[in-house]
Amino acid sequence: MSLIRIENVTFAYSSQPEVPALKDVSCGIERGSFVGITGVTDAGKSSLCRLIAGYVPHFFDGELSGRVTVDGIDTAKTTIGELAEKVGFVFESPFDQLTGASLTVTEEVAFALENLGFPREEIERRAKESLERAGIADLADRHPQRLSGGQSQRLALASVLAMQPEILVLDEPTSQLDPLGADEVFEAVSEMHRQGYTVVLVSHDLERLAAHADRLIVMENGRIRWDGTPREVLLDAAASGYPIPIPDVLRVGQRLREIRRVDPHVLMPLTFEEAATELTRVFGVVPAISPFSPSPAQKSIGDSMENKLPRLLLEDVHHTYPREVHALRGISLELDEGCVCILGQNGAGKTTLVKHLNGLLRPTEGRVLIEGKDSREHRVAQLAKHVGLAFQNPDDQLFHGTVEEEVRFGAENVGATPEHAERLTESAIRRMGLNEVRKKKPYDLGLPWRKRVAIASVLTMDTPVVVLDEPTGGQDAPGVQLLGELVRALVEEEKLVVVVTHDVEFTREHADRVVVLYQGRVLLDGEPREVLGQEETLSRTHVRPPAITRLGKRLGLDRTVLSVDELFRSLSWA
Ligand SMILES: Nc1ncnc2c1ncn2[C@@H]1O[C@H](COP(=O)(O)OP(=O)(O)OP(=O)(O)O)[C@@H](O)[C@H]1O
Ligand SMILES: [Mg+2]
């Protein structure tokens, strides 16, 4: 019998009784399997997780029919507490998971184990081990509420791993992690899977999911749309143009079959290594020549600012948080135009840096000039007219009763007239695709929606500089596309757009300039092609170039390629 059995489950949240989040779902999950779950926003992924962990119906109110059993126990007839010993659940938003009761990271991880009365040595051993697995052993003595977003996400994961529950339910556990960190977490979870743990993991990261899961479920509209091996499911989804982010390695395999360089019946590559092997077999290692001319170089930064100050000028900016956390260690930058993506490992200082761009944080040394105004000498309210910042965690920003009010607040905040505020609100709602949810309470919406609402409310401030801190984390493929279009449109309007992101695919597509941070300093700064080509330097700060770029390097191309098209153009020349 399946370890987890879901039988004809329909569930509607009480905030949304007319549209069930899960509709007549039935499926079994076997002991020791690794099930990946994906799908667009609101498809029912998180609800399925909550169902398995008992949060539906014990924590979320609503109408439930059907039955769920975990190891023979009916989840409706037990408690979350009892289930927690069997099912560990990592929430979508790590900020919701932290207990708020611990003074150090170690205490936080030990918290549940202590409640369960484990012996001291066992607690210490497990805490240490799970912090290592989550890659934050060096933060053991830090305060859990004073971590970066990615560090918090790692802590939430570590707290659950420490419990060693037989079943791990992980709702987008790597959405805020740097690329090498995401690899490590997938590796750590796979290792537990190999040891016999059962894993259910929701993600939009299909490249990693396909490489690790043995089964992939695509949810759609509260139902299971596909359920099979990752290869079967991704091929079907790709063939039907389904809006999930099909990995580039698969597109490479498809292209090779289309141009008949590989027999269409040969098994499609699914991982980076498989794609690399296939390409090398077809093309060999190609001679180093410059095979195509990349799109014309961007106007070099600085051309337009000979006689005037850039919009944002940072001079040797340092920021030290209490208890000697040196988050920024001397950053000098001129930011004036285009889309600037900021990359770097968790804790590198990205969020700290962008909070200096609107005066929310002031340098502890050095200075920041915002449209020529020294941030230390002006109030945040004054600076807000120049720079709008959407936070990494949207919940730090949302407090109105409806989406519409929330979005309008941005405009009111900078003193727009009622008519102008109205126009700005409508435009932001349209741009962020919020029309269908405009009358809803932000808190009744899922995290990806709340993020869009927070961004929309920054757009209505209509500032010349727009800063987005990890806008794509947790967004589905249509959401990422919408953000891409937004960024392009803002740049067209001659705004400066600064985007903090771990998403190298987004970066290669939309950045005009890439600034990479490493331990509070600038490691690289230049055009995307130049920066993303530097695999070794990037790895110091846990960033990895896109798969397609690495494939080009593996084949020996001397130019950095950034897309499947560019790769094939180079190869056809060779
Ligand atoms: N409120 C705070 N108090 C003390 N230290 C903090 C605080 N916020 C962040 N830090 C620390 O400052 C450093 C930089 O954090 P920051 O949030 O800027 O990183 P980040 O690059 O945005 O990381 P992530 O990718 O995880 O979001 C980290 O070591 C972090 O733990
Ligand atoms: Mg951050």
Side-chain angles (χ1 to χ4, degrees), residues 5-11 20-29 37 43-45 47-48 51-52 64-68 215 217-225 227:
R5 281 179 68 87
I6 299 172
E7 295 167 61
N8 306 103
V9 168
T10 297
F11 177 74
L22 296 171
K23 298 175 187 156
D24 196 23
V25 173
S26 295
C27 80
I29 292 173
I37 299 182
K45 310 178 295 295
S47 300
L48 195 67
L51 188 71
I52 298 170
L64 176 72
S65 64
R67 205 169 93 102
V68 181
R215 174 175 168 196
I217 292 178
V218 181
M219 298 289 298
E220 177 185 74
N221 239 327
R223 298 178 202 275
I224 292 173
R225 163 83 189 249
D227 183 353

Side-chain angles (χ1 to χ4, degrees), residues 153-418:
Q153 192 163 36
R154 289 163 188 259
L155 175 55
L157 177 72
S159 313
V160 171
L161 295 183
M163 298 279 288
Q164 301 183 351
E166 199 185 333
I167 303 167
L168 291 166
V169 178
L170 314 164
D171 193 356
E172 300 199 40
T174 60
S175 59
Q176 299 189 49
L177 296 202
D178 55 58
L180 294 189
D183 281 349
E184 282 161 20
V185 165
F186 268 91
E187 222 8 90
V189 171
S190 290
E191 177 54 31
M192 296 184 75
H193 170 230
R194 285 190 286 274
Q195 292 169 14
Y197 289 83
T198 304
V199 180
V200 177
L201 193 156
V202 175
S203 182
H204 294 294
D205 186 344
L206 298 181
E207 195 173 319
R208 290 190 178 87
L209 210 49
H212 293 279
D214 45 34
R215 174 175 168 196
L216 182 62
I217 292 178
V218 181
M219 298 289 298
E220 177 185 74
N221 239 327
R223 298 178 202 275
I224 292 173
R225 163 83 189 249
W226 277 289
D227 183 353
T229 65
R231 189 184 306 276
E232 289 161 3
V233 170
L234 287 181
L235 285 179
D236 276 358
S240 64
Y242 200 74
I244 52 176
I246 303 295
D248 274 349
V249 291
L250 201 105
R251 300 218 183 274
V252 166
Q254 282 179 316
R255 186 72 78 86
L256 286 171
R257 282 153 187 77
E258 270 161 37
I259 58 172
R260 297 271 160 185
R261 297 295 292 260
V262 173
D263 187 284
H265 301 294
V266 173
L267 205 60
M268 191 78 92
L270 205 56
T271 63
F272 176 81
E273 285 306 327
E274 286 168 8
T277 307
E278 184 159 272
L279 277 169
T280 324
R281 209 168 44 229
V282 174
F283 293 99
V285 171
V286 297
I289 38 171
S290 287
F292 72 98
S293 27
S295 43
Q298 304 297 325
K299 206 166 32 155
S300 77
I301 314 287
D303 281 2
S304 58
M305 36 168 113
E306 268 160 27
N307 296 319
K308 71 171 178 75
L309 275 174
R311 279 172 172 154
L312 302 175
L313 177 63
L314 289 83
E315 291 177 338
D316 195 28
V317 172
H318 290 250
H319 193 90
T320 305
Y321 287 109
R323 300 233 257 149
E324 295 299 297
V325 179
H326 299 285
L328 301 180
R329 300 164 186 255
I331 292 203
S332 298
L333 281 174
E334 294 185 0
L335 301 169
D336 197 52
E337 59 183 2
C339 169
V340 183
C341 283
I342 300 188
L343 271 54
Q345 75 189 97
N346 293 132
K350 304 179 297 297
T351 296
T352 307
L353 176 69
V354 296
K355 283 185 175 166
H356 280 79
L357 305 184
N358 73 341
L360 214 53
L361 289 179
R362 310 285 157 91
T364 46
E365 252 178 78
R367 62 175 194 160
V368 176
L369 297 187
I370 300 168
E371 305 273 6
K373 298 187 170 80
D374 189 323
S375 71
R376 289 169 307 190
E377 290 158 13
H378 293 82
R379 288 181 303 119
V380 179
Q382 288 172 301
L383 300 172
K385 289 191 172 52
H386 302 290
V387 183
L389 164 64
F391 290 164
Q392 182 167 359
N393 179 10
D395 299 341
D396 291 344
Q397 206 183 315
L398 303 176
F399 49 89
H400 285 88
T402 68
V403 166
E404 214 171 66
E405 282 164 27
E406 193 69 65
V407 175
R408 186 175 305 114
F409 175 73
E412 284 163 356
N413 195 20
V414 290
T417 62

Side-chain angles (χ1 to χ4, degrees), residues 485-498:
E485 284 160 12
L486 172 74
V487 165
R488 291 328 307 167
L490 294 175
V491 169
E492 289 275 295
E493 290 166 26
E494 303 199 338
K495 293 184 193 277
L496 163 66
V497 185
V498 178

Side-chain angles (χ1 to χ4, degrees), residues 122-171:
E122 175 75 4
I123 296 180
E124 279 171 13
R125 193 182 57 73
R126 286 206 200 177
K128 195 162 171 287
E129 188 185 284
S130 59
L131 288 178
E132 270 160 20
R133 278 198 160 128
I136 46 169
D138 57 324
L139 302 179
D141 299 325
R142 293 274 299 275
H143 195 293
Q145 308 287 347
R146 293 188 201 125
L147 299 176
S148 76
Q151 290 167 341
S152 309
Q153 192 163 36
R154 289 163 188 259
L155 175 55
L157 177 72
S159 313
V160 171
L161 295 183
M163 298 279 288
Q164 301 183 351
E166 199 185 333
I167 303 167
L168 291 166
V169 178
L170 314 164
D171 193 356

